[in-house]
Amino acid sequence: MNPALQGLITIVIGVGGCLAYFYLSNQFLDRVLFPGTGEHAGRNINRANQIRPWLFLFPAIFALTLYLAYPVVETLRLSLTDRNAGGAFVGLANYRQMMDEPKFWEAMKNNMLWLIVVPAAATAFGLLAAQLTDRIKWGNIAKSLIFMPMAISFVGASVIFKLVYDTRAADQDQIGVLNALWLTFDGETSSLIFLRLVPAIIVLAFGAFMAYGIYLTLRPLIWGEAERGGGSWWTVPLRAAVAIGAAWLLWLSLKSIFNLFTVTLPYGEPQTWLTVPFWNNFFLMVVLIWIQTGFAMVILSAALRGIPEETIEAAIIDGASPFDIFFKIKVPQIMSTIVVVWTTITLVVLKVFDIVYAMTNGQWETQVLANYMYDKLFRANDWGVGSASAIIIMLLVTPILIWNVYTTRKEMR
Amino acid sequence: MSSIAGSKSGLTWAVHISVLLLVLLWLFPTIGLLISSFRTSDQIATSGWWDALFTQEQNMVLRAKPPKAQNQEGATWVISGNIFADNDESPATISVWGTSSREISKYTPGETADLGDKGKLTVEANGDYRLENTTEFSGKRGGRVFVTATAPPKFTLDNYRTVLFSGSTTDSMAKAFFNTLTVTIPATIIPIVIAAFAAYALAWMRFPGRALLIAAVVGLLVVPLQLALIPLLRLHLAIGIGKGYLGVWLAHTGFGLPLAIYLLRNYMVGLPRDIIENAKVDGATDFQIFTRIILPLSFPALASFAIFQFLWTWNDLLVAKVFLIDATGETTVMTNQIVELLGTRGGNWEILATAAFVSIAVPLAVFFAMQRYLVRGLLAGSVK
């Protein structure tokens, strides 16, 4: 049968079936099971109204259970069994096997790098774009153009950026923008500025942000504000953990600034960007940053517009500079939105598969967890290790899951 | 805010320029691919796409007419014509030319090259040439002329013809395009219907366990679909759905439901309570309230989710690869086709760029047409 026709029939059957289910089950409830007339009319109506929500919910609960809840449990079970041994329970053997693979640790390491760089860069660019475009007349057009990559598939974006990164032999004209740009650098002043100074400033800004973060997280502990402010005991280890993480990132950024000024760069040679170990990860990340910045911008721009005008006007009257207003008045007020944006992008990063699959397929040390898992599942046909790596992704997502459920429940009360 | 910007015009200019730079930086990669999709493979291979917009200097090896086209004018034998027209090239302006590959820029237009016993060749700037000899020309092919010419920008639609209509098994996107549509439309509509009912129940009906269910939906919102791949594929294979459209529709429905329920519930909760209670007083059943009042009022939220789900299913690679595409490859979708092209024709940018653009075009159109709803949806449910 023609798939288009099949699709049409499915729409009709699917949608029609759903509507028929809802209509008929309601009719059945009201007319047959608990008729709202006669002797027990009142009791029947009450009973019908107790059952009705479940009629409305049944298809959704069924689909959610079968397609999301059951797989979590089943994947956990599969990760503890061995396919070759007929599904026998093997305990943590799959996890042990996975831990022994260097490719897994490479994927973990790269994923951590992705988790740090992509949300940070996308949020920062998004905030910058939101702040700048809010102040000009053609801001909406600019926004919509920066937002546009959201509609482009990861695969399409990969093709777009593969062209940017394309390499030709040294004696030919370069057709990739990045190499054409690279070959204009010759080690003189301009390359010193653009390849060493500017990146160093960006990394330094990141480091400063981290230092500020450490200060913010530790301040209540040092001054004993936690008790006075009503903070609970469990925030202490959490704050300490965040501070240690931030300190590590600060150390990393300082180290990379040092490296930036000492490394010798191969000027004048076209580079195959996607095969340069370590740095190729960043070239892949650029694709996701490019896509996600628009998202961050849209959300943050709405948050910026939601800031009460009075706070800004008061700051202006007090003589605050635009930069002070931005960093000391606006950013603190939209901090919760920044956190939401950050975690949302984090979730996207954890699931990132298409970009790596299409651009390098995990070669040249660019493996990430989602692609590693796909590799294990469908190329190595190893369901045990594949499930184990899926569970690792789930574990990484769990803190965000718990946080989301926690905040939603708090809001609903 | 305008007061800050107004008082410091220098800063305003800086803002304008930085936004412009940011926008250009963001557009640059896409424009590169778009322009490349209108260039021939030779053009793409020899120069960057940014050169395509300007008059371009290129080196060409062209041939004069073969000796059988010669005319006798008195005592001399002559071959004449236009070097571009004779080679089916578009007109260009010659800056320098030569007659051997070692000296391709020996002569300027209008000069005459002495080829010894092969005669004398004169080439004008517009490509008109005249080859004269005192003896009759012999041989089969015309002599080679090496020209360096500046040609105006040239674009072609041939790539789109190849990708859309050629019917070539490897390059044609037509089948994949319709397959993608077949996946996308049911996978967008079915979750909306199911989610709308559930969202109504979660928003406006009282029953025990409601808060718990909402929390569960929020939790499922972030469950990575990677976890669902193996168990569901096994399930589909076990109950006979196998790999195919039905499987991928069901999978997309399942994966889209949490966001759909979350978005729609949040929207429906905000609808005015009075309307619903008045309707109840007037004797409307829940089913009637839902179909007559809630659904029409929830159109913005329905549209937001529809766009999300459409973009997500159209752009998806992983779910299609796992649940749809079997060994025959008959049901391939566009994203998968492009990844395969990347593997087999990684150097053929004209095909790749065009194929990518065909797949990007529909979501981009949807994006620009319905951006308002997309933004609204993002603001309402920025969790997934």
Side-chain angles (χ1 to χ4, degrees):
Chain A
M1 190 168 32
N2 188 337
L5 195 68
Q6 199 188 343
L8 205 67
I9 294 173
T10 311
I11 297 176
V12 172
I13 293 178
V15 175
C18 284
L19 290 175
Y21 157 80
F22 287 115
Y23 182 74
L24 292 178
S25 62
N26 273 284
Q27 288 290 324
F28 178 75
L29 190 68
D30 290 333
R31 296 279 152 82
V32 183
L33 211 53
F34 298 114
T37 52
E39 220 183 321
H40 305 296
R43 199 191 68 188
N44 276 355
I45 288 175
N46 279 343
R47 281 192 182 167
N49 282 342
Q50 274 172 11
I51 293 179
R52 201 184 320 278
W54 302 103
L55 289 184
F56 275 61
L57 282 167
F58 170 73
I61 292 181
F62 178 76
L64 284 179
T65 314
L66 187 63
Y67 276 85
L68 286 169
Y70 152 77
V72 175
V73 182
E74 176 70 2
T75 305
L76 189 61
R77 189 186 70 80
L78 285 174
S79 75
L80 300 174
T81 60
D82 188 346
R83 192 195 186 193
N84 293 331
F89 183 80
V90 291
L92 295 174
N94 287 322
Y95 290 89
R96 219 167 292 135
Q97 189 194 336
M98 187 171 70
M99 301 283 176
D100 286 340
E101 276 186 42
K103 214 51 184 165
F104 168 74
W105 289 109
E106 179 195 312
M108 276 301 263
K109 205 184 73 191
N110 288 339
N111 247 42
M112 291 304 138
L113 207 60
W114 279 75
L115 281 180
I116 297 163
V117 176
V118 177
T123 314
F125 275 121
L127 192 57
L128 181 75
Q131 168 65 13
L132 292 179
T133 50
D134 270 351
R135 313 174 83 189
I136 53 178
K137 271 187 197 150
W138 53 286
N140 278 337
I141 301 169
K143 259 188 216 157
S144 131
L145 291 175
I146 295 177
F147 193 32
M148 180 198 71
M150 272 295 275
I152 295 177
S153 61
F154 286 166
V155 175
S158 302
V159 176
I160 289 174
F161 274 86
K162 266 212 147 174
L163 182 61
V164 172
Y165 299 147
D166 195 275
T167 313
R168 295 283 146 138
D171 54 344
Q172 289 173 343
D173 273 355
Q174 295 297 325
I175 68 165
V177 177
L178 200 60
N179 264 316
L181 210 61
W182 171 250
L183 291 182
T184 60
F185 290 118
D186 49 6
E188 299 298 312
T189 331
S190 67
S191 25
L192 189 72
I193 293 172
F194 286 110
L195 297 179
R196 295 179 198 260
L197 211 56
V198 172
I201 291 171
I202 293 171
V203 177
L204 196 66
F206 179 76
F209 181 69
M210 283 300 134
Y212 184 62
I214 295 173
Y215 167 71
L216 279 186
T217 41
L218 291 186
R219 192 177 55 177
L221 298 186
I222 295 165
W223 302 105
E225 280 172 18
E227 287 82 33
R228 271 187 287 133
S232 1
W233 60 271
W234 57 265
T235 58
V236 176
L238 189 70
R239 282 174 186 281
V242 171
I244 290 171
W248 181 66
L249 291 178
L250 177 62
W251 163 242
L252 273 191
S253 46
L254 290 178
K255 212 170 71 174
S256 44
I257 291 177
F258 176 72
N259 285 342
L260 262 174
F261 285 101
T262 50
V263 72
T264 41
L265 297 168
Y267 294 112
E269 296 164 29
Q271 301 289 309
T272 47
W273 301 106
L274 292 177
T275 62
V276 186
F278 183 68
W279 295 106
N280 50 10
N281 283 303
F282 290 90
F283 293 117
L284 296 187
M285 288 177 212
V286 164
V287 184
L288 195 57
I289 296 172
W290 182 71
I291 292 175
Q292 292 293 328
T293 293
F295 160 76
M297 177 195 66
V298 166
I299 307 259
L300 293 171
S301 136
L304 281 176
R305 261 182 272 137
I307 295 176
E309 280 284 316
E310 303 89 73
T311 57
I312 297 163
E313 275 164 21
I316 295 172
I317 291 166
D318 288 349
S321 73
F323 291 99
D324 275 345
I325 291 174
F326 183 67
F327 283 109
K328 294 190 179 157
I329 310 288
K330 287 184 175 174
V331 171
Q333 292 196 63
I334 59 166
M335 213 45 183
S336 63
T337 314
I338 293 181
V339 171
V340 168
V341 169
W342 194 292
T343 49
T344 309
I345 300 177
T346 303
L347 287 173
V348 178
V349 171
L350 277 171
K351 296 185 258 182
V352 67
F353 160 78
D354 311 24
I355 294 175
V356 177
Y357 181 79
M359 289 187 86
T360 61
N361 200 4
Q363 298 173 81
W364 309 296
E365 298 173 31
T366 56
Q367 190 67 293
V368 293
L369 277 177
N371 192 51
Y372 173 82
M373 184 216 147
Y374 184 86
D375 228 43
K376 284 289 161 207
L377 269 188
F378 297 103
R379 280 204 211 99
N381 254 324
D382 192 338
W383 289 2
V385 175
S387 305
S389 50
I391 291 295
I392 299 285
I393 300 178
M394 185 66 208
L395 283 180
L396 291 172
V397 169
T398 308
I400 300 176
L401 187 150
I402 293 170
W403 173 253
N404 274 351
V405 173
Y406 172 75
T407 48
T408 320
R409 299 214 60 159
K410 210 167 66 175
E411 273 166 23
M412 278 173 55
R413 280 206 198 102
Chain B
M1 296 245 271
S2 55
S3 52
I4 316 171
S7 64
K8 298 186 181 176
S9 64
L11 194 65
T12 317
W13 275 110
V15 169
H16 277 284
I17 290 168
S18 17
V19 172
L20 192 68
L21 283 178
L22 205 61
V23 169
L24 287 180
L25 190 68
W26 246 250
L27 280 182
F28 203 63
T30 320
I31 291 176
L33 199 74
L34 179 63
I35 290 177
S36 296
S37 74
F38 290 107
R39 305 178 77 205
T40 65
S41 60
D42 287 347
Q43 284 173 320
I44 295 177
T46 51
S47 63
W49 59 265
W50 50 92
D51 287 332
L53 301 175
F54 309 107
T55 303
Q56 226 179 323
E57 192 175 75
Q58 56 187 136
N59 296 318
M60 290 188 277
V61 184
L62 305 171
R63 278 187 184 276
K65 279 183 192 156
K68 66 177 184 218
Q70 60 189 307
N71 294 318
Q72 200 174 8
E73 295 178 5
T76 51
W77 297 83
V78 176
I79 300 176
S80 67
N82 184 288
I83 198 80
F84 296 115
D86 291 350
N87 289 275
D88 294 328
E89 293 283 346
S90 54
T93 311
I94 295 172
S95 53
V96 284
W97 59 280
T99 52
S100 90
S101 57
R102 272 161 301 168
E103 296 172 302
I104 59 168
S105 52
K106 194 173 179 187
Y107 308 103
T108 52
E111 275 189 311
T112 302
D114 192 346
L115 306 177
D117 57 356
K118 285 180 189 157
K120 289 190 168 64
L121 177 66
T122 314
V123 180
E124 302 295 338
N126 65 359
D128 287 343
Y129 66 91
R130 188 177 166 89
L131 182 58
E132 296 177 347
N133 205 351
T134 46
T135 56
E136 189 175 348
F137 293 103
S138 61
K140 276 211 174 94
R141 301 205 290 176
R144 287 190 299 177
V145 182
F146 299 82
V147 301
T148 302
T150 49
K154 196 178 108 193
F155 297 103
T156 168
L157 283 172
D158 283 351
N159 301 328
Y160 284 91
R161 229 163 273 144
T162 313
V163 163
L164 289 176
F165 308 114
S166 73
S168 135
T169 45
T170 51
D171 295 345
S172 172
M173 295 289 281
K175 192 175 70 183
F177 186 91
F178 286 108
N179 288 346
T180 307
L181 262 185
T182 314
V183 171
T184 308
I185 294 174
T188 306
I189 295 176
I190 295 172
I192 292 181
V193 179
I194 297 179
F197 280 95
Y200 173 70
L202 289 176
W204 287 107
M205 292 169 137
R206 308 235 152 264
F207 58 93
R210 190 173 74 149
L212 207 65
L213 269 179
I214 296 171
V217 168
V218 172
L220 291 176
L221 212 50
V222 300
V223 169
L225 65 87
Q226 268 86 1
L227 266 89
L229 300 182
I230 321 168
L232 287 184
L233 185 61
R234 277 165 59 114
L235 181 79
H236 281 181
L237 293 174
I239 61 175
I241 296 176
K243 282 187 161 202
Y245 287 113
L246 188 58
V248 83
W249 289 327
L250 290 175
H252 274 310
T253 303
F255 300 149
L257 266 184
L259 182 70
I261 298 177
Y262 181 76
L263 274 183
L264 293 175
R265 183 205 161 259
N266 279 359
Y267 189 85
M268 288 177 187
V269 158
L271 294 175
R273 178 177 287 273
D274 296 353
I275 303 180
I276 292 154
E277 281 177 357
N278 283 347
K280 272 197 179 149
V281 170
D282 289 345
T285 65
D286 273 313
F287 191 78
Q288 282 167 333
I289 294 174
F290 175 73
T291 48
R292 306 256 173 89
I293 301 173
I294 300 284
L295 269 193
L297 282 179
S298 307
F299 176 77
L302 295 174
S304 317
F305 174 73
I307 297 165
F308 266 117
Q309 183 75 355
F310 175 81
L311 289 179
W312 154 243
T313 47
W314 185 281
N315 290 338
D316 158 76
L317 172 69
L318 186 56
V319 176
K321 266 188 108 65
V322 174
F323 293 105
L324 174 65
I325 300 163
D326 53 17
T328 62
E330 274 301 305
T331 50
T332 186
V333 292
M334 277 198 288
T335 44
N336 186 57
Q337 182 100 355
I338 292 170
V339 171
E340 272 170 19
L341 281 177
L342 268 176
T344 56
R345 315 205 48 164
N348 295 46
W349 277 108
E350 74 286 1
I351 296 297
L352 261 178
T354 318
F357 244 91
V358 168
S359 89
I360 293 172
V362 176
L364 276 188
V366 171
F367 171 83
F368 280 114
M370 310 196 65
Q371 201 178 6
R372 204 156 45 101
Y373 295 109
L374 184 67
V375 170
R376 196 178 301 182
L378 271 184
L379 294 177
S382 53
V383 186
K384 192 180 178 180

PDB file of all heavy atoms in Angstrom, chain A residues 323-342:
ATOM      1  N   PHE A 323      26.495  48.997  32.206  1.00  0.00           N
ATOM      2  CA  PHE A 323      27.049  47.693  32.560  1.00  0.00           C
ATOM      3  C   PHE A 323      26.663  47.301  33.981  1.00  0.00           C
ATOM      4  O   PHE A 323      26.321  46.154  34.241  1.00  0.00           O
ATOM      5  CB  PHE A 323      28.569  47.712  32.401  1.00  0.00           C
ATOM      6  CG  PHE A 323      28.975  47.809  30.967  1.00  0.00           C
ATOM      7  CD1 PHE A 323      29.333  49.025  30.416  1.00  0.00           C
ATOM      8  CD2 PHE A 323      28.972  46.675  30.155  1.00  0.00           C
ATOM      9  CE1 PHE A 323      29.686  49.115  29.078  1.00  0.00           C
ATOM     10  CE2 PHE A 323      29.311  46.757  28.825  1.00  0.00           C
ATOM     11  CZ  PHE A 323      29.681  47.980  28.283  1.00  0.00           C
ATOM     12  N   ASP A 324      26.684  48.279  34.875  1.00  0.00           N
ATOM     13  CA  ASP A 324      26.245  48.003  36.247  1.00  0.00           C
ATOM     14  C   ASP A 324      24.792  47.573  36.258  1.00  0.00           C
ATOM     15  O   ASP A 324      24.408  46.632  36.950  1.00  0.00           O
ATOM     16  CB  ASP A 324      26.425  49.260  37.114  1.00  0.00           C
ATOM     17  CG  ASP A 324      27.833  49.358  37.647  1.00  0.00           C
ATOM     18  OD1 ASP A 324      28.535  48.335  37.571  1.00  0.00           O
ATOM     19  OD2 ASP A 324      28.221  50.447  38.108  1.00  0.00           O
ATOM     20  N   ILE A 325      23.977  48.295  35.462  1.00  0.00           N
ATOM     21  CA  ILE A 325      22.550  47.973  35.423  1.00  0.00           C
ATOM     22  C   ILE A 325      22.358  46.547  34.953  1.00  0.00           C
ATOM     23  O   ILE A 325      21.579  45.785  35.513  1.00  0.00           O
ATOM     24  CB  ILE A 325      21.805  48.955  34.491  1.00  0.00           C
ATOM     25  CG1 ILE A 325      21.797  50.340  35.126  1.00  0.00           C
ATOM     26  CG2 ILE A 325      20.386  48.481  34.230  1.00  0.00           C
ATOM     27  CD1 ILE A 325      21.221  51.401  34.241  1.00  0.00           C
ATOM     28  N   PHE A 326      23.129  46.181  33.918  1.00  0.00           N
ATOM     29  CA  PHE A 326      22.966  44.840  33.375  1.00  0.00           C
ATOM     30  C   PHE A 326      23.385  43.777  34.386  1.00  0.00           C
ATOM     31  O   PHE A 326      22.643  42.850  34.672  1.00  0.00           O
ATOM     32  CB  PHE A 326      23.774  44.709  32.081  1.00  0.00           C
ATOM     33  CG  PHE A 326      23.608  43.371  31.425  1.00  0.00           C
ATOM     34  CD1 PHE A 326      22.391  42.996  30.884  1.00  0.00           C
ATOM     35  CD2 PHE A 326      24.659  42.480  31.354  1.00  0.00           C
ATOM     36  CE1 PHE A 326      22.221  41.769  30.288  1.00  0.00           C
ATOM     37  CE2 PHE A 326      24.504  41.248  30.757  1.00  0.00           C
ATOM     38  CZ  PHE A 326      23.284  40.897  30.223  1.00  0.00           C
ATOM     39  N   PHE A 327      24.587  43.933  34.941  1.00  0.00           N
ATOM     40  CA  PHE A 327      25.120  42.846  35.764  1.00  0.00           C
ATOM     41  C   PHE A 327      24.596  42.863  37.191  1.00  0.00           C
ATOM     42  O   PHE A 327      24.463  41.829  37.820  1.00  0.00           O
ATOM     43  CB  PHE A 327      26.654  42.881  35.769  1.00  0.00           C
ATOM     44  CG  PHE A 327      27.227  42.340  34.493  1.00  0.00           C
ATOM     45  CD1 PHE A 327      27.822  43.180  33.582  1.00  0.00           C
ATOM     46  CD2 PHE A 327      27.143  40.987  34.209  1.00  0.00           C
ATOM     47  CE1 PHE A 327      28.338  42.682  32.397  1.00  0.00           C
ATOM     48  CE2 PHE A 327      27.659  40.481  33.022  1.00  0.00           C
ATOM     49  CZ  PHE A 327      28.256  41.330  32.126  1.00  0.00           C
ATOM     50  N   LYS A 328      24.294  44.059  37.712  1.00  0.00           N
ATOM     51  CA  LYS A 328      23.899  44.109  39.115  1.00  0.00           C
ATOM     52  C   LYS A 328      22.401  44.218  39.329  1.00  0.00           C
ATOM     53  O   LYS A 328      21.894  43.892  40.396  1.00  0.00           O
ATOM     54  CB  LYS A 328      24.597  45.290  39.803  1.00  0.00           C
ATOM     55  CG  LYS A 328      26.091  45.061  39.861  1.00  0.00           C
ATOM     56  CD  LYS A 328      26.769  46.076  40.721  1.00  0.00           C
ATOM     57  CE  LYS A 328      28.264  45.816  40.773  1.00  0.00           C
ATOM     58  NZ  LYS A 328      29.002  47.028  41.126  1.00  0.00           N
ATOM     59  N   ILE A 329      21.674  44.718  38.316  1.00  0.00           N
ATOM     60  CA  ILE A 329      20.227  44.861  38.484  1.00  0.00           C
ATOM     61  C   ILE A 329      19.488  43.778  37.697  1.00  0.00           C
ATOM     62  O   ILE A 329      18.626  43.083  38.227  1.00  0.00           O
ATOM     63  CB  ILE A 329      19.739  46.247  38.002  1.00  0.00           C
ATOM     64  CG1 ILE A 329      20.586  47.351  38.606  1.00  0.00           C
ATOM     65  CG2 ILE A 329      18.273  46.417  38.307  1.00  0.00           C
ATOM     66  CD1 ILE A 329      20.366  47.602  40.052  1.00  0.00           C
ATOM     67  N   LYS A 330      19.849  43.641  36.432  1.00  0.00           N
ATOM     68  CA  LYS A 330      19.045  42.751  35.588  1.00  0.00           C
ATOM     69  C   LYS A 330      19.387  41.289  35.817  1.00  0.00           C
ATOM     70  O   LYS A 330      18.499  40.474  36.063  1.00  0.00           O
ATOM     71  CB  LYS A 330      19.268  43.106  34.118  1.00  0.00           C
ATOM     72  CG  LYS A 330      18.598  44.402  33.711  1.00  0.00           C
ATOM     73  CD  LYS A 330      18.776  44.638  32.236  1.00  0.00           C
ATOM     74  CE  LYS A 330      18.022  45.872  31.778  1.00  0.00           C
ATOM     75  NZ  LYS A 330      18.325  46.167  30.378  1.00  0.00           N
ATOM     76  N   VAL A 331      20.666  40.941  35.708  1.00  0.00           N
ATOM     77  CA  VAL A 331      21.046  39.530  35.802  1.00  0.00           C
ATOM     78  C   VAL A 331      20.572  38.876  37.099  1.00  0.00           C
ATOM     79  O   VAL A 331      19.983  37.793  37.060  1.00  0.00           O
ATOM     80  CB  VAL A 331      22.563  39.365  35.586  1.00  0.00           C
ATOM     81  CG1 VAL A 331      22.997  37.947  35.909  1.00  0.00           C
ATOM     82  CG2 VAL A 331      22.926  39.715  34.160  1.00  0.00           C
ATOM     83  N   PRO A 332      20.760  39.517  38.255  1.00  0.00           N
ATOM     84  CA  PRO A 332      20.261  38.859  39.478  1.00  0.00           C
ATOM     85  C   PRO A 332      18.757  38.608  39.442  1.00  0.00           C
ATOM     86  O   PRO A 332      18.281  37.607  39.959  1.00  0.00           O
ATOM     87  CB  PRO A 332      20.614  39.863  40.582  1.00  0.00           C
ATOM     88  CG  PRO A 332      21.740  40.650  40.038  1.00  0.00           C
ATOM     89  CD  PRO A 332      21.495  40.749  38.572  1.00  0.00           C
ATOM     90  N   GLN A 333      17.999  39.521  38.789  1.00  0.00           N
ATOM     91  CA  GLN A 333      16.554  39.354  38.784  1.00  0.00           C
ATOM     92  C   GLN A 333      16.086  38.233  37.870  1.00  0.00           C
ATOM     93  O   GLN A 333      14.982  37.715  38.020  1.00  0.00           O
ATOM     94  CB  GLN A 333      15.871  40.667  38.369  1.00  0.00           C
ATOM     95  CG  GLN A 333      16.049  41.739  39.408  1.00  0.00           C
ATOM     96  CD  GLN A 333      15.074  42.875  39.193  1.00  0.00           C
ATOM     97  OE1 GLN A 333      13.879  42.696  39.271  1.00  0.00           O
ATOM     98  NE2 GLN A 333      15.597  44.053  38.924  1.00  0.00           N
ATOM     99  N   ILE A 334      16.912  37.887  36.857  1.00  0.00           N
ATOM    100  CA  ILE A 334      16.472  36.815  35.963  1.00  0.00           C
ATOM    101  C   ILE A 334      17.272  35.533  36.224  1.00  0.00           C
ATOM    102  O   ILE A 334      17.306  34.622  35.399  1.00  0.00           O
ATOM    103  CB  ILE A 334      16.606  37.223  34.471  1.00  0.00           C
ATOM    104  CG1 ILE A 334      18.051  37.568  34.141  1.00  0.00           C
ATOM    105  CG2 ILE A 334      15.689  38.366  34.141  1.00  0.00           C
ATOM    106  CD1 ILE A 334      18.296  37.645  32.663  1.00  0.00           C
ATOM    107  N   MET A 335      17.912  35.467  37.391  1.00  0.00           N
ATOM    108  CA  MET A 335      18.771  34.308  37.678  1.00  0.00           C
ATOM    109  C   MET A 335      18.017  32.989  37.555  1.00  0.00           C
ATOM    110  O   MET A 335      18.541  32.019  37.015  1.00  0.00           O
ATOM    111  CB  MET A 335      19.350  34.453  39.096  1.00  0.00           C
ATOM    112  CG  MET A 335      20.733  33.871  39.249  1.00  0.00           C
ATOM    113  SD  MET A 335      21.777  34.363  37.870  1.00  0.00           S
ATOM    114  CE  MET A 335      23.253  33.515  38.192  1.00  0.00           C
ATOM    115  N   SER A 336      16.757  32.963  38.027  1.00  0.00           N
ATOM    116  CA  SER A 336      16.027  31.686  37.989  1.00  0.00           C
ATOM    117  C   SER A 336      15.775  31.267  36.545  1.00  0.00           C
ATOM    118  O   SER A 336      15.842  30.086  36.203  1.00  0.00           O
ATOM    119  CB  SER A 336      14.720  31.808  38.750  1.00  0.00           C
ATOM    120  OG  SER A 336      13.892  32.760  38.128  1.00  0.00           O
ATOM    121  N   THR A 337      15.511  32.241  35.666  1.00  0.00           N
ATOM    122  CA  THR A 337      15.321  31.908  34.257  1.00  0.00           C
ATOM    123  C   THR A 337      16.618  31.400  33.644  1.00  0.00           C
ATOM    124  O   THR A 337      16.620  30.460  32.842  1.00  0.00           O
ATOM    125  CB  THR A 337      14.835  33.138  33.474  1.00  0.00           C
ATOM    126  OG1 THR A 337      13.808  33.757  34.214  1.00  0.00           O
ATOM    127  CG2 THR A 337      14.334  32.739  32.110  1.00  0.00           C
ATOM    128  N   ILE A 338      17.747  32.024  34.041  1.00  0.00           N
ATOM    129  CA  ILE A 338      19.029  31.561  33.518  1.00  0.00           C
ATOM    130  C   ILE A 338      19.239  30.105  33.910  1.00  0.00           C
ATOM    131  O   ILE A 338      19.692  29.290  33.104  1.00  0.00           O
ATOM    132  CB  ILE A 338      20.172  32.456  34.047  1.00  0.00           C
ATOM    133  CG1 ILE A 338      20.036  33.862  33.459  1.00  0.00           C
ATOM    134  CG2 ILE A 338      21.530  31.867  33.689  1.00  0.00           C
ATOM    135  CD1 ILE A 338      21.100  34.819  33.887  1.00  0.00           C
ATOM    136  N   VAL A 339      18.870  29.771  35.145  1.00  0.00           N
ATOM    137  CA  VAL A 339      19.036  28.382  35.583  1.00  0.00           C
ATOM    138  C   VAL A 339      18.173  27.447  34.738  1.00  0.00           C
ATOM    139  O   VAL A 339      18.622  26.381  34.306  1.00  0.00           O
ATOM    140  CB  VAL A 339      18.681  28.248  37.083  1.00  0.00           C
ATOM    141  CG1 VAL A 339      18.641  26.789  37.493  1.00  0.00           C
ATOM    142  CG2 VAL A 339      19.699  28.998  37.916  1.00  0.00           C
ATOM    143  N   VAL A 340      16.921  27.878  34.461  1.00  0.00           N
ATOM    144  CA  VAL A 340      16.039  27.037  33.635  1.00  0.00           C
ATOM    145  C   VAL A 340      16.648  26.823  32.249  1.00  0.00           C
ATOM    146  O   VAL A 340      16.707  25.703  31.731  1.00  0.00           O
ATOM    147  CB  VAL A 340      14.635  27.678  33.524  1.00  0.00           C
ATOM    148  CG1 VAL A 340      13.824  26.974  32.449  1.00  0.00           C
ATOM    149  CG2 VAL A 340      13.917  27.603  34.841  1.00  0.00           C
ATOM    150  N   VAL A 341      17.126  27.907  31.639  1.00  0.00           N
ATOM    151  CA  VAL A 341      17.724  27.802  30.313  1.00  0.00           C
ATOM    152  C   VAL A 341      18.928  26.865  30.353  1.00  0.00           C
ATOM    153  O   VAL A 341      19.095  25.971  29.516  1.00  0.00           O
ATOM    154  CB  VAL A 341      18.145  29.196  29.807  1.00  0.00           C
ATOM    155  CG1 VAL A 341      18.997  29.093  28.560  1.00  0.00           C
ATOM    156  CG2 VAL A 341      16.925  30.034  29.527  1.00  0.00           C
ATOM    157  N   TRP A 342      19.749  27.064  31.365  1.00  0.00           N
ATOM    158  CA  TRP A 342      20.966  26.259  31.513  1.00  0.00           C
ATOM    159  C   TRP A 342      20.622  24.769  31.597  1.00  0.00           C
ATOM    160  O   TRP A 342      21.171  23.940  30.873  1.00  0.00           O
ATOM    161  CB  TRP A 342      21.719  26.710  32.765  1.00  0.00           C
ATOM    162  CG  TRP A 342      23.112  26.217  32.857  1.00  0.00           C
ATOM    163  CD1 TRP A 342      23.512  24.928  33.041  1.00  0.00           C
ATOM    164  CD2 TRP A 342      24.307  26.994  32.740  1.00  0.00           C
ATOM    165  NE1 TRP A 342      24.869  24.863  33.071  1.00  0.00           N
ATOM    166  CE2 TRP A 342      25.386  26.110  32.890  1.00  0.00           C
ATOM    167  CE3 TRP A 342      24.567  28.344  32.548  1.00  0.00           C
ATOM    168  CZ2 TRP A 342      26.714  26.543  32.839  1.00  0.00           C
ATOM    169  CZ3 TRP A 342      25.892  28.768  32.505  1.00  0.00           C
ATOM    170  CH2 TRP A 342      26.937  27.870  32.646  1.00  0.00           C
TER     171      TRP A 342
END
